[in-house]
Amino acid sequence: MTVQIGQKQNTGSIDVIRTGLSLAVLLYFLAIIAVNQVASPITSAFYYLAIFTGALLYFGLKRSMGIRPLVLLAIGAGILTGLNTVLVGNMTAVLSMIMVASFFVAALMLDEGVDERAFLIAIYLNAGVALIRLLLFGSKVSVYVGSTNNYVSIHLLAPGILYYSLLDARGKKIPIIPAFVIWMLSLLAGGRGGLLASTILLLGVILRRYLADETARRDRILLGLLLALIMIPVLVILVWSVFMSGSDIYVINRFLDKGMNGGGRIDCWIEYIQAMFSSAKNFLFGVNTGTLWWGRHYNGNLHNSFLFVHAYMGIFGFGTFLFLIGRACLRAVRNGKGVYLCCILTLCFRGLTDHMFGGNRMTAIVLAMVLLPDFTGLGPKIGGGVGKILKRLNKKELSDVKRETE
């Protein structure tokens, strides 16, 4: 699938369009923050308004671009979620519409007219909310309505990985401070998976700066010291949780109490996988989480985003999503985009233990991550398998023309 942005508009109108598109993207993140702080029909309506406005705005851009592959993916997701609604019951008509709209919101986020700073603002807004709540009520009181503080890292990483991925794909400077803020708040919130995932992101960003050709020797020393300062608390937490007992630090207590077992997560995954292979219907269209003991125990939360993809879209949606992730990783490696690859790995690692994607409010962000190569020119390079075929065809056409002229 190749989706390319059309021609730029005149200089006088670029700033207006750029500001409007960036505000529309920021509105999406503000709506998620509002829903997470106040559970009410008004905030839910605000979220629906934000996501459908973003989708409609994308169509309103009238870009001269190949939109057909994106539409086909959205229609496919709509069909699969519709079948799930009727045959399984995990999805609803409203959630199915949001899933379809998320594809076009993802495309809007990747538009060249959107300023990357919109995602940076979203990082700091989420960080501000989390920090204020943690300071006022402590780490044992939930920052968000209806979810644990494991989701602090998720709501920080979601705009964070897309921010860094776009900077890397567009060849711009990679700052360290946003990744450090995400890491620090994930540490304070106490989530084990969040701390490790944000560490992966931060290490990737620091290594990118450390290995950059223009980095001076003094900067390399400072980056090396920063790297050591980051790794020390992570290693202390891991060692302490394995070999010692008793601590006043909340995140260490979390590791001590539960290690990396997850307090039932693995049992939940095993139960779902067993149910998945128990019948052709479950395998093809998804397992009703309400029929699972652990699913009811966790109020429908499987604590694994990959399983949620299957639960909402069945094996076809699950296979397509894995293909898109593998394809994005391959594009990142081929184009030397190490930070983008690190962001994908961060996304996958964090999604393994909590509901970060699959059918929730942040679906558009994850879709943007896997579709990013199509909007930023990270397609297959000439010289690869497809490129060689095109060259051969071109040579054959030239030789045929030459014979005809002779």
Side-chain angles (χ1 to χ4, degrees):
M1 180 179 72
T2 302
V3 182
Q4 294 295 339
I5 300 300
Q7 295 180 354
K8 292 183 180 181
Q9 308 200 14
N10 60 73
T11 306
S13 63
I14 286 180
D15 290 340
V16 175
I17 294 176
R18 190 174 181 83
T19 301
L21 296 179
S22 301
L23 287 175
V25 170
L26 188 57
L27 182 70
Y28 171 83
F29 288 101
L30 287 172
I32 294 177
I33 292 174
V35 171
N36 286 329
Q37 291 302 303
V38 181
S40 72
I42 295 177
T43 54
S44 296
F46 180 29
Y47 171 75
Y48 298 145
L49 175 66
I51 192 166
F52 287 115
T53 298
L56 292 173
L57 182 59
Y58 174 73
F59 282 105
L61 291 175
K62 296 180 180 179
R63 299 291 196 189
S64 57
M65 56 186 292
I67 194 176
R68 185 177 299 174
L70 188 67
V71 172
L72 291 176
L73 282 174
I75 291 174
I79 292 173
L80 292 174
T81 53
L83 289 171
N84 185 282
T85 301
V86 175
L87 299 176
V88 180
N90 289 331
M91 293 293 283
T92 64
V94 173
L95 291 177
S96 184
M97 288 189 291
I98 290 175
M99 175 68 76
V100 173
S102 294
F103 280 86
F104 304 104
V105 176
L108 178 68
M109 291 178 177
L110 298 173
D111 192 277
E112 66 179 359
V114 175
D115 195 322
E116 301 91 358
R117 287 175 293 183
F119 303 100
L120 181 62
I121 293 172
I123 294 172
Y124 288 137
L125 285 174
N126 278 285
V129 170
L131 182 60
I132 290 172
R133 298 276 301 185
L134 288 171
L135 290 176
L136 290 177
F137 306 108
S139 56
K140 295 184 180 180
V141 176
S142 294
V143 171
Y144 308 117
V145 174
S147 60
T148 66
N149 286 345
N150 289 331
Y151 282 79
V152 169
S153 61
I154 289 178
H155 288 288
L156 289 167
L157 285 169
I161 56 177
L162 192 49
Y163 170 68
Y164 279 109
S165 296
L166 283 171
L167 290 179
D168 194 27
R170 294 172 179 175
K172 297 186 177 182
K173 186 177 179 180
I174 307 294
I176 294 177
I177 293 177
F180 184 77
V181 169
I182 295 171
W183 179 83
M184 181 58 68
L185 281 170
S186 297
L187 174 66
L188 293 176
R192 296 156 295 158
L195 175 62
L196 297 177
S198 59
T199 300
I200 294 173
L201 175 64
L202 185 54
L203 290 179
V205 170
I206 292 175
L207 288 174
R208 163 64 184 274
R209 290 290 297 272
Y210 185 84
L211 298 174
D213 294 335
E214 69 274 11
T215 304
R217 184 174 180 272
R218 183 189 64 180
D219 294 334
R220 292 181 191 274
I221 294 174
L222 292 175
L223 288 170
L225 292 174
L226 179 60
L227 187 63
L229 290 174
I230 292 166
M231 288 305 299
I232 287 172
V234 175
L235 292 174
V236 166
I237 289 170
L238 292 175
V239 172
W240 202 324
S241 65
V242 173
F243 298 107
M244 300 182 182
S245 62
S247 172
D248 294 329
I249 303 176
Y250 180 62
V251 69
I252 292 181
N253 283 330
R254 293 278 290 172
F255 276 91
L256 286 171
D257 293 341
K258 299 182 179 180
M260 291 305 294
N261 189 339
R265 278 177 169 84
I266 295 177
D267 293 327
C268 180
W269 305 341
I270 292 173
E271 182 184 29
Y272 183 90
I273 293 172
Q274 288 175 343
M276 171 183 168
F277 288 101
S278 66
S279 70
K281 176 186 171 183
N282 286 353
F283 180 76
L284 291 174
F285 304 110
V287 179
N288 187 330
T289 58
T291 63
L292 304 175
W293 188 91
W294 281 104
R296 294 192 300 272
H297 178 74
Y298 285 131
N299 295 320
N301 189 355
L302 300 174
H303 288 287
N304 188 308
S305 297
F306 291 93
L307 294 183
F308 265 115
V309 174
H310 181 271
Y312 289 146
M313 292 188 288
I315 194 62
F316 298 107
F318 180 74
T320 301
F321 183 68
L322 290 183
F323 169 78
L324 291 174
I325 288 180
R327 173 175 165 271
C329 290
L330 184 61
R331 297 280 179 88
V333 172
R334 284 183 174 177
N335 291 274
K337 301 300 179 181
V339 172
Y340 175 42
L341 178 62
C342 182
C343 288
I344 297 173
L345 297 177
T346 301
L347 170 69
C348 292
F349 181 84
R350 189 66 191 93
L352 278 173
T353 57
D354 276 303
H355 191 188
M356 187 174 185
F357 52 84
N360 61 359
R361 299 185 184 99
M362 290 175 285
T363 296
I365 302 167
V366 179
L367 289 173
M369 283 292 296
V370 298
L371 295 176
L372 184 142
D374 303 295
F375 289 80
T376 54
L378 299 185
K381 291 185 176 180
I382 296 297
V386 176
K388 291 178 180 178
I389 294 173
L390 292 175
K391 286 183 178 181
R392 289 171 186 169
L393 291 174
N394 189 41
K395 288 180 180 179
K396 185 177 183 301
E397 290 177 359
L398 291 175
S399 62
D400 291 342
V401 172
K402 184 177 181 181
R403 282 198 301 269
E404 290 175 2
T405 54
E406 290 176 351

